[in-house]
Amino acid sequence: MLLVLRHCIPKYFTVELLNHFIELFYYGDCDSSKIPSISLDFASRDKLKMSGPETLMFVRMFGLLVSDRVPHDDPFWIFLNLKLSQLLDKCLSKSISPRMSVSLRILVEEFNEIYVCVPNDTLKPKFHFQVHYSTIIDESGPVALTSTKRFESKHRSLLMRAHDTQSRMQICVTVAIHHQLQMCFRCKSRSRIIPKPEFGPLHEVSWANFSNPECLKSVLATPMSSCMSANWVKLKGTKYKLRMVLTLQIDNSENPVFGHIEAIILESNNSFVLVFSHLMNLGFDSHVHGYEVESSDSWSKVYVMNLFDPLPHNINLSASESKKFVVLHCELSAHNLNFKLISVSVI
């Protein structure tokens, strides 16, 4: 990304303008990481001053920030930024298709060749690691599942115990005892591994309060004139809120089918159902690296367990705010090898 910025600034835009776009960018409720401002002397540095999640967010949203100012035929944009986004999509995917390893091997070879030719730079050691990703997929499954990020997140709870202890004598033993006490508490209290469902305040809502009351009433198929609704619900650690985007399924042309959450309804059996309006997928915009969508008046419902991808997304606007896009967290495949596709229960 540093090479792309050096090429685009000040040729297509300035650092001040980029920071202005970053400051005004709407991230939505799904993304907790924010893009920090780019320093004015970034070109003289070896890397951007960002954490791992911030860098990933910057790569994903960079097309939305400045794509309208970069020509479609710019080689740096086509061969570096877009190829990097494709590479990240495959490496972060937790589901694989039979042809994933082959396509990733070809993509890594193209990216390494382009990196040498276009910016006239030399390959770094980390580029050699990418060559083995396809072998990892063949022998061990998705590359994302070999990440140590979740193991490293365990450090926080251990460090908190270490900071709370005044004595430095046998600090490892102290941390170990605290950890074992936590495990004993979980076993004695029989706490669940999967957290219990959480939800926001429930309130009774009349059909007339919704933008499409007749469609909503037919979707829920209930004779009642009102329903119990919540603004958010948290199931299995994933939080769903109004105006988030759901990935319902993958169609025959291998394009995702999206839904926009309009309501979260509590049914009579104490289970939550997500009522959504269908988003028309206008196709994948390679320049932005996202799917352009439009709203529709067609409503349906779905249970969280029947979603193709449980992670919700946001609707992001382009820099000109004339188009709506959905940028996926990773590549989704209809012919995956490690979980079964469940059809969406809609009416």
Side-chain angles (χ1 to χ4, degrees):
M1 288 302 298
L2 186 59
L3 293 175
V4 177
L5 287 179
R6 288 172 178 170
H7 171 74
C8 294
I9 300 175
K11 186 175 182 180
Y12 300 125
F13 50 86
T14 62
V15 181
E16 292 80 6
L17 183 61
L18 177 59
N19 287 332
H20 179 68
F21 288 156
I22 292 175
E23 182 181 357
L24 299 180
F25 185 75
Y26 174 72
Y27 295 93
D29 298 319
C30 298
D31 300 313
S32 58
S33 300
K34 310 297 182 183
I35 305 173
S37 299
I38 308 299
S39 60
L40 299 178
D41 59 341
F42 77 94
S44 60
R45 298 187 177 185
D46 296 331
K47 61 180 181 179
L48 296 175
K49 191 176 181 181
M50 297 182 186
S51 64
E54 291 171 346
T55 303
L56 181 59
M57 177 64 64
F58 184 50
V59 174
R60 289 179 55 231
M61 300 302 171
F62 189 59
L64 288 171
L65 292 171
V66 298
S67 61
D68 61 331
R69 296 182 173 271
V70 180
H72 286 71
D73 57 350
D74 184 270
F76 269 75
W77 186 268
I78 297 174
F79 297 125
L80 286 183
N81 181 59
L82 299 184
K83 287 290 183 182
L84 177 61
S85 299
Q86 295 174 15
L87 192 59
L88 280 175
D89 283 349
K90 293 184 180 295
C91 292
L92 295 177
S93 177
K94 292 182 173 62
S95 62
I96 58 177
S97 62
R99 59 179 183 273
M100 173 74 81
S101 61
V102 178
S103 60
L104 180 59
R105 183 182 298 111
I106 296 174
L107 183 60
V108 169
E109 292 177 357
E110 292 178 349
F111 183 80
N112 289 346
E113 292 177 0
I114 292 168
Y115 189 86
V116 174
C117 298
V118 176
N120 196 21
D121 200 355
T122 58
L123 295 177
K124 310 301 186 293
K126 59 184 178 183
F127 291 91
H128 173 72
F129 301 152
Q130 298 174 164
V131 178
H132 300 287
Y133 286 170
S134 58
T135 305
I136 293 176
I137 290 179
D138 291 333
E139 298 182 357
S140 303
V143 178
L145 299 183
T146 64
S147 173
T148 60
K149 182 172 65 174
R150 298 312 307 161
F151 295 96
E152 293 177 359
S153 64
K154 182 71 175 180
H155 295 173
R156 183 175 181 272
S157 60
L158 301 179
L159 287 174
M160 288 175 60
R161 297 293 177 263
H163 291 320
D164 293 341
T165 304
Q166 299 295 329
S167 175
R168 298 290 95 182
M169 296 292 293
Q170 295 184 336
I171 187 64
C172 295
V173 177
T174 303
V175 172
I177 291 175
H178 277 286
H179 184 267
Q180 291 302 309
L181 289 174
Q182 285 182 335
M183 291 299 300
C184 291
F185 174 77
R186 294 194 62 176
C187 293
K188 295 291 288 185
S189 61
R190 296 183 178 181
S191 58
R192 301 163 41 139
I193 297 178
I194 300 177
K196 294 182 180 180
E198 302 176 18
F199 49 89
L202 292 173
H203 49 277
E204 187 175 1
V205 182
S206 174
W207 302 127
N209 294 337
F210 294 95
S211 59
N212 197 345
E214 295 299 328
C215 188
L216 177 62
K217 190 173 182 180
S218 63
V219 164
L220 296 178
T222 175
M224 304 295 292
S225 60
S226 61
C227 62
M228 298 302 294
S229 175
N231 290 330
W232 62 270
V233 60
K234 192 173 184 179
L235 302 174
K236 295 183 179 180
T238 303
K239 193 172 186 178
Y240 301 90
K241 301 179 66 175
L242 300 180
R243 294 178 295 278
M244 285 185 176
V245 176
L246 305 172
T247 305
L248 305 174
Q249 61 184 12
I250 304 295
D251 59 19
N252 296 330
S253 59
E254 297 194 0
N255 287 320
V257 179
F258 298 117
H260 193 236
I261 299 179
E262 302 289 348
I264 302 175
I265 306 298
L266 178 64
E267 294 189 323
S268 57
N269 57 356
N270 292 330
S271 62
F272 284 93
V273 61
L274 305 179
V275 178
F276 63 90
S277 60
H278 287 276
L279 291 176
M280 294 184 292
N281 190 344
L282 304 182
F284 184 77
D285 190 327
S286 59
H287 195 59
V288 177
H289 199 74
Y291 290 91
E292 185 180 354
V293 296
E294 284 187 359
S295 303
S296 70
D297 295 329
S298 175
W299 285 30
S300 298
K301 71 175 183 179
V302 64
Y303 296 95
V304 172
M305 66 183 70
N306 293 336
L307 291 174
F308 182 83
D309 183 16
L311 294 180
H313 299 82
N314 297 310
I315 291 183
N316 299 108
L317 299 177
S318 60
S320 59
E321 297 188 357
S322 59
K323 298 181 179 179
K324 299 178 181 179
F325 290 95
V326 175
V327 180
L328 298 180
H329 299 291
C330 61
E331 180 178 308
L332 300 177
S333 173
H335 308 287
N336 55 74
L337 297 180
N338 64 342
F339 65 88
K340 181 180 179 182
L341 174 62
I342 304 176
S343 59
V344 181
S345 301
V346 296
I347 295 180

